[in-house]
Amino acid sequence: MSLDYEVYNLGDVKLQRGATLRDCKLAYKTFGTLSPNKDNVIIYPTWYSGQHYDNEWLVGDGRALDPKKYFIIIPNMLGNGLSSSPSNTPEPYNGPRFPQVTACDNVRAQHRLVTEKFGIEHIRLVTGWSMGALQTFHWGALYPGMMDLIAPFCGSAKCSRHNFVFLEGVKAALTADAAWKEGWYTEKPQRGLRAAARVYAGWGFSQAFYRQKLDIEALGYSSLEDFLVAFWEGFFLPKDPNNLLTMLWTWQNGDIGDNELYNGDFEAALGAIKARAYVMPGQTDLYFPPEDSEFEVAHMPNAKFVPVPSVWGHFAGGPGTNPKDVEFIDAKLKELLAS
Amino acid sequence: MSLDYEVYNLGDVKLQRGATLRDCKLAYKTFGTLSPNKDNVIIYPTWYSGQHYDNEWLVGDGRALDPKKYFIIIPNMLGNGLSSSPSNTPEPYNGPRFPQVTACDNVRAQHRLVTEKFGIEHIRLVTGWSMGALQTFHWGALYPGMMDLIAPFCGSAKCSRHNFVFLEGVKAALTADAAWKEGWYTEKPQRGLRAAARVYAGWGFSQAFYRQKLDIEALGYSSLEDFLVAFWEGFFLPKDPNNLLTMLWTWQNGDIGDNELYNGDFEAALGAIKARAYVMPGQTDLYFPPEDSEFEVAHMPNAKFVPVPSVWGHFAGGPGTNPKDVEFIDAKLKELLAS
């Protein structure tokens, strides 16, 4: 089989919470060519349940992330079904036994890919949407001298308590389905996946988005129910439930300060991010509200608060859903890369 | 058995959506004494899953709703377990066969109680929180000449599309549990009720509430998980699932314009509300955002927009959860009643 992506074998990876992920695989895709002096590197991690395909909307000729100029690496998050995940890991760490993986584990694995596989020592930019932003912040805090720029958008450096609660709702809906069988499902827990999708639907887009009927007027669905079934349920149903729960745990436990460098000191971790940063929350994002980004920016030495003016809620940041927001983010990334 | 409330028998009630609720019962509680000329009446409907007990926090000596001055009637919403509900209606309209009841049906039933039972022709004030606000708006639009004042707080005259979607998530979580058995449950669907509770938890309070750890600092829970279990799951578990789903349907289909008076013309219905109104959204309410109240006020001839300055989200309005918000609402009701 010919894949459109590569896999880097990390061997046995000891995870932050104690387990060892043996024969750990990191799937990634690259765009463009690494320059001879390796100074044109952009890292662009994936988001909750997204795969590298789902990141490609921001990459292209004439875009900030232009493969003619940059060597862009999209590493797939552990648990996303392409990198090591509950769905593709052999026994005994398969399915619901897949270990707890932190964003820190993810970024350390990505750092090995970047340094060991490509011999890259310096990165121009790290950027990402949502959990991609979480990983971006981790890059900034774990390897502060390594990159010039970071641009996390619609995400945070630490899962807020409210965001944690929102995710509890998604998880509870998915796992209320008896077909889930505590993760030992033999067939897809349809009701649970669809319930999780419906829970997510209210959070993903803003009140104003729904008020303006952009599900119909902009996205072309035929009714609100059509949007809930075709967009939301359709989005969740193909995903593996244990993969979703693994990434959800990663999200809920995301915190750039939760490692031996910062010992839980979140503000110290923010303060250690040397990179010039554009922190770009969606102005109407319900689970990454701009207030949390403002706090982060206030504690980062070299960061600018750049909210995305949009009623598209969390989807102001991706995955290419609203052309105007894409233009805004692309323009800001160009501005940052030109600096 | 001695009840602390009364029941008014409405007989056979033909509902808006076609079914007849036979031997329909409206449970209510009154406070204070009806004055000889019946000019001291306040109607104060209940909210989603709440019973008249849960409204009493706003009633008391020295309060705006002072039983020494006013005759206060708290009618229980149909479906809330005290008035006719899936849980207490005899076959064949029991359980999941309980008919669809609109807010309009509710308020018409309440109107019969007020006029037939008490011979009241004029109301001083109608007020209520959340779905109580929905019923308050209905009073204003269905009986425009009947009351001087209305004060809906943390609610709306029509269920917004976003609010509808939020409720879809709650419903999907509850009904994902196989023990729900499409409403024919023989034992409580524990997982579904707990899942619905967790979904609700992120919506009920604001991001700022959780950021400030008010679950711990103000409400005294020992941890976030303790709050989710003791407050939220504890709140949902005693409720009958079919009752919850009946009231949820009422909520989702709430619209003061959806009746033969206004034929779906929401703005005309708003425009018909003659009463002097204080429309009081919670400033950080995630499902009744102030923007929707502003729209309503702009289309009402005699209304004032009075947001409750609070980070308590939807719970800025009740049920007496935050003393400061109670004081604010009480003060505004006094102001309105003095006018």
Side-chain angles (χ1 to χ4, degrees):
Chain A
M1 193 173 92
S2 140
L3 298 175
D4 82 328
Y5 60 93
E6 312 289 323
V7 176
Y8 185 63
N9 291 304
L10 292 159
D12 295 352
V13 173
K14 195 170 167 187
L15 300 170
Q16 244 194 330
R17 299 292 168 111
T20 295
L21 199 45
R22 290 172 181 81
D23 193 25
C24 181
K25 291 176 194 310
L26 189 60
Y28 65 96
K29 183 163 182 176
T30 66
F31 297 82
T33 309
L34 185 58
S35 61
N37 53 358
K38 302 186 176 182
D39 63 352
N40 68 335
V41 177
I42 292 176
I43 312 289
Y44 178 25
T46 59
W47 39 275
Y48 183 62
S49 91
Q51 300 180 335
H52 60 266
Y53 316 95
D54 304 306
N55 266 16
E56 294 183 18
W57 57 275
L58 197 54
V59 177
D61 286 0
R63 291 272 181 216
L65 273 54
D66 190 335
K68 284 187 180 150
K69 287 194 213 165
Y70 295 104
F71 181 60
I72 301 153
I73 306 173
I74 304 182
N76 285 274
M77 193 159 50
L78 294 163
N80 86 338
L82 294 181
S83 290
S84 286
S85 299
S87 64
N88 65 16
T89 294
E91 296 179 348
Y93 266 125
N94 59 311
R97 281 288 185 277
F98 192 78
Q100 295 170 338
V101 177
T102 63
C104 183
D105 292 324
N106 269 286
V107 169
R108 284 178 173 162
Q110 292 166 20
H111 181 261
R112 283 188 53 201
L113 166 72
V114 167
T115 54
E116 294 173 11
K117 165 80 186 172
F118 293 106
I120 292 165
E121 288 175 6
H122 186 79
I123 296 166
R124 180 71 181 139
L125 167 72
V126 186
T127 189
W129 177 49
S130 197
M131 283 187 81
L134 176 67
Q135 294 166 78
T136 298
F137 277 113
H138 274 77
W139 269 101
L142 294 174
Y143 306 104
M146 195 171 176
M147 78 287 298
D148 298 325
L149 312 166
I150 65 170
F153 51 100
C154 301
S156 66
K158 178 181 174 176
C159 183
S160 76
R161 297 173 86 248
H162 177 264
N163 191 330
F164 186 97
V165 172
F166 142 56
L167 293 170
E168 280 300 296
V170 174
K171 183 172 74 178
L174 172 55
T175 60
D177 184 347
W180 174 61
K181 295 184 180 172
E182 314 305 313
W184 304 106
Y185 43 85
T186 44
E187 52 191 64
K188 192 187 286 187
Q190 286 262 351
R191 291 192 90 125
L193 284 165
R194 290 174 192 268
R198 282 191 185 241
V199 172
Y200 221 112
W203 292 110
F205 295 92
S206 75
Q207 296 97 342
F209 172 91
Y210 285 105
R211 190 181 298 120
Q212 296 175 30
K213 300 189 184 180
L214 296 179
D215 46 319
I216 296 173
E217 303 299 332
L219 294 178
Y221 292 89
S222 54
S223 66
L224 183 54
E225 179 65 13
D226 184 49
F227 182 57
L228 294 178
V229 176
F231 181 93
W232 283 104
E233 297 186 4
F235 180 86
F236 271 78
L237 283 169
K239 318 278 183 190
D240 177 80
N242 286 323
N243 288 359
L244 287 173
L245 293 169
T246 288
M247 289 179 283
L248 192 147
W249 188 94
T250 303
W251 185 348
Q252 287 190 312
N253 292 276
D255 179 353
I256 57 169
D258 187 16
N259 52 64
E260 72 287 355
L261 289 179
Y262 305 108
N263 296 308
D265 189 337
F266 180 55
E267 297 181 24
L270 286 170
I273 298 176
K274 287 184 188 164
R276 182 151 184 237
Y278 273 14
V279 177
M280 301 195 278
Q283 209 164 33
T284 56
D285 194 325
L286 288 171
Y287 45 95
F288 294 114
E291 292 78 8
D292 292 328
S293 304
E294 281 182 304
F295 179 90
E296 290 162 348
V297 166
H299 290 81
M300 292 163 70
N302 211 5
K304 193 173 165 187
F305 176 70
V306 184
V308 185
S310 170
V311 298
W312 286 63
H314 187 58
F315 281 75
T321 316
N322 181 27
K324 270 196 180 170
D325 297 333
V326 174
E327 291 314 315
F328 181 89
I329 291 166
D330 189 56
K332 289 297 170 186
L333 290 177
K334 280 178 180 149
E335 189 179 293
L336 186 62
L337 282 163
S339 70
Chain B
M1 194 172 94
S2 141
L3 297 175
D4 81 329
Y5 60 92
E6 311 289 323
V7 175
Y8 185 62
N9 291 305
L10 293 159
D12 294 352
V13 173
K14 196 170 166 188
L15 299 170
Q16 244 193 333
R17 301 292 169 110
T20 294
L21 199 45
R22 290 170 180 82
D23 193 24
C24 180
K25 292 176 192 309
L26 188 61
Y28 64 96
K29 183 163 183 175
T30 65
F31 297 82
T33 309
L34 185 58
S35 60
N37 52 358
K38 303 186 178 183
D39 63 353
N40 67 335
V41 176
I42 292 176
I43 312 289
Y44 177 25
T46 59
W47 39 276
Y48 183 63
S49 91
Q51 299 181 334
H52 61 266
Y53 316 95
D54 304 305
N55 266 15
E56 295 184 16
W57 57 274
L58 197 55
V59 177
D61 286 0
R63 291 273 180 217
L65 273 54
D66 190 336
K68 285 188 177 151
K69 289 192 209 166
Y70 295 103
F71 181 60
I72 303 153
I73 306 174
I74 304 182
N76 285 274
M77 191 159 50
L78 294 164
N80 85 339
L82 294 180
S83 290
S84 286
S85 301
S87 62
N88 64 17
T89 294
E91 295 178 349
Y93 266 125
N94 59 311
R97 281 289 184 277
F98 192 78
Q100 293 171 339
V101 178
T102 63
C104 183
D105 291 325
N106 269 286
V107 169
R108 284 177 173 163
Q110 292 165 22
H111 181 261
R112 284 188 53 202
L113 166 73
V114 167
T115 54
E116 293 173 10
K117 164 79 187 175
F118 294 106
I120 292 165
E121 289 173 9
H122 186 79
I123 296 166
R124 180 70 182 139
L125 168 72
V126 186
T127 189
W129 177 50
S130 197
M131 284 187 80
L134 175 68
Q135 294 167 77
T136 297
F137 277 112
H138 274 77
W139 268 101
L142 294 174
Y143 306 103
M146 195 172 176
M147 76 287 298
D148 300 324
L149 312 167
I150 64 168
F153 50 99
C154 301
S156 67
K158 177 182 175 177
C159 184
S160 75
R161 297 173 88 248
H162 177 263
N163 191 331
F164 186 97
V165 173
F166 142 55
L167 293 171
E168 280 299 296
V170 174
K171 183 172 72 179
L174 172 55
T175 60
D177 185 347
W180 173 61
K181 294 183 181 174
E182 314 306 312
W184 305 106
Y185 43 83
T186 44
E187 52 191 64
K188 189 186 290 187
Q190 285 262 351
R191 291 192 89 125
L193 285 165
R194 290 176 192 268
R198 282 191 185 241
V199 172
Y200 221 113
W203 292 110
F205 296 91
S206 75
Q207 297 95 342
F209 172 91
Y210 285 106
R211 191 183 297 120
Q212 295 176 29
K213 299 189 184 180
L214 296 179
D215 46 319
I216 297 173
E217 303 298 332
L219 294 178
Y221 291 90
S222 54
S223 66
L224 183 54
E225 178 65 15
D226 184 49
F227 182 57
L228 295 177
V229 176
F231 181 94
W232 283 104
E233 296 186 4
F235 180 86
F236 272 78
L237 283 169
K239 318 280 183 190
D240 177 80
N242 285 324
N243 288 359
L244 288 173
L245 293 169
T246 286
M247 290 180 282
L248 192 146
W249 188 94
T250 303
W251 185 349
Q252 285 189 314
N253 291 277
D255 179 353
I256 58 169
D258 186 16
N259 50 65
E260 72 287 356
L261 290 179
Y262 304 109
N263 296 309
D265 188 338
F266 180 56
E267 296 181 23
L270 286 170
I273 298 176
K274 288 184 188 165
R276 181 151 186 239
Y278 274 13
V279 178
M280 301 196 277
Q283 210 164 32
T284 56
D285 194 324
L286 288 171
Y287 46 96
F288 294 114
E291 292 78 8
D292 292 328
S293 304
E294 281 182 305
F295 179 90
E296 290 161 348
V297 166
H299 292 81
M300 293 164 71
N302 211 5
K304 192 174 166 187
F305 176 69
V306 184
V308 185
S310 170
V311 297
W312 286 63
H314 187 59
F315 281 77
T321 315
N322 182 26
K324 270 195 180 171
D325 297 332
V326 174
E327 291 314 315
F328 180 89
I329 291 166
D330 189 57
K332 290 295 168 186
L333 290 177
K334 280 178 178 150
E335 190 179 292
L336 186 63
L337 282 163
S339 71

